[in-house]
């Protein structure tokens, strides 16, 4: 539902920034959604070859009518559920104008997010001043993530540094350090 122009430009720049911050060992799947959802790329490493494929897709991204966030979220859950290698750090980045057109969509989205018992976070990015910030914030809260408001190119770096920092800091989750004091 994002109109071409400013919002779409921001989404494209956000995706470019995300890929530039990832290493060749990270994996990414891309899903587009409007009234339906489509997996554009299956879960793939950010190799040099795949980065080019991702970039080609981002450059060709266009908008079409309708927004059903749950369709995109449902497809993301399917990817997480059926991946071959389950790494300890998994995150969904939901980029949308946040104008979901389905009644009672928050409860439906929360049910979808909680339909699998995998450990993952959701970070949501609301584009444009007319998005539903409460919806996007509640979606992120459902799985322990953050909500980011993106209205210009300057905020993209800040948002992604924060979101990626939270993911990278999770590498040290559940670490136990024992300290022994020698009293001699």
């Amino acid at each position: 539902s994002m109109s071409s122009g400013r919002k779409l430009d921001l989404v494209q720049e956000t995706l470019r920034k995300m890929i530039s911050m990832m290493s060749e060992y990270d994996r990414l799947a891309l899903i587009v959604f409007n009234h339906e959802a489509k997996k554009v790329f299956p879960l793939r490493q950010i190799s040099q070859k795949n980065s080019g494929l991702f970039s080609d897709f981002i450059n060709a991204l266009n908008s079409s009518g309708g927004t059903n966030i749950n369709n995109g979220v449902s497809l993301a859950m399917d990817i997480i559920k059926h991946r071959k290698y389950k790494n300890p750090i998994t995150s969904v980045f939901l980029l949308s104008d946040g104008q979901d057109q389905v009644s009672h969509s928050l409860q439906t989205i929360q049910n979808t997010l909680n339909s699998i018992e995998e450990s993952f976070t959701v970070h949501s990015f609301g584009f444009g001043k007319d998005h539903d910030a409460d919806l996007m914030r509640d979606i992120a809260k459902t799985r322990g993530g953050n909500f980011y408001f993106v209205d210009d190119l300057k905020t993209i770096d800040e948002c992604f540094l924060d979101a990626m920092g939270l993911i990278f800091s999770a590498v040290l989750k559940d670490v136990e350090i024992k300290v022994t004091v020698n009293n001699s």
Side-chain angles (χ1 to χ4, degrees):
S1 68
M2 286 191 192
S3 58
S4 51
R6 184 174 166 79
K7 284 185 186 181
L8 188 58
D9 292 343
L10 286 170
V11 168
Q12 288 171 314
E13 188 58 34
T14 300
L15 290 170
R16 287 183 195 103
K17 179 59 66 176
M18 180 175 64
I19 290 170
S20 75
M21 294 180 77
M22 298 175 78
S23 80
E24 65 185 61
Y25 302 106
D26 293 323
R27 295 182 298 164
L28 176 70
L30 289 176
I31 297 168
V32 294
F33 62 93
N34 48 33
H35 61 281
E36 59 187 12
K38 178 182 176 186
K39 180 174 35 175
V40 179
F41 288 103
L43 199 56
R44 292 185 182 173
Q45 280 188 294
I46 305 293
S47 65
Q48 189 171 5
K49 175 186 173 189
N50 288 339
S51 283
L53 294 173
F54 288 131
S55 293
D56 290 344
F57 164 74
I58 292 166
N59 293 334
L61 191 63
N62 59 41
S63 62
S64 58
T67 300
N68 185 332
I69 293 173
N70 191 60
N71 283 349
V73 169
S74 182
L75 193 48
M77 296 305 96
D78 189 56
I79 290 170
I80 291 172
K81 187 176 181 180
H82 294 101
R83 61 198 163 141
K84 292 177 186 174
Y85 175 72
K86 299 182 190 281
N87 48 320
I89 301 168
T90 301
S91 194
V92 173
F93 282 37
L94 173 63
L95 285 63
S96 178
D97 61 2
Q99 296 178 6
D100 196 297
Q101 299 168 339
V102 179
S103 300
H104 311 294
S105 60
L106 177 59
Q107 186 61 52
T108 302
I109 294 166
Q110 288 173 326
N111 290 343
T112 301
L113 288 170
N114 292 321
S115 67
I116 61 174
E117 295 186 23
E118 300 278 340
S119 176
F120 65 94
T121 57
V122 174
H123 298 284
S124 64
F125 297 78
F127 290 83
K129 292 179 181 176
D130 58 343
H131 72 275
D132 184 345
D134 291 334
L135 173 65
M136 298 299 283
R137 185 177 300 107
D138 289 343
I139 290 170
K141 278 187 193 176
T142 300
R143 293 305 293 211
N146 286 340
F147 161 71
Y148 301 94
F149 170 58
V150 181
D151 191 40
D152 60 48
L153 293 174
K154 292 182 277 185
T155 60
I156 292 172
D157 286 343
E158 183 180 318
C159 294
F160 265 87
L161 285 173
D162 185 67
M164 297 297 269
L166 290 171
I167 292 171
F168 294 140
S169 66
V171 170
L172 298 178
K173 184 179 177 185
D174 299 327
V175 171
E176 183 176 321
I177 299 174
K178 292 184 181 184
V179 176
T180 305
V181 178
N182 188 349
N183 289 330
S184 51

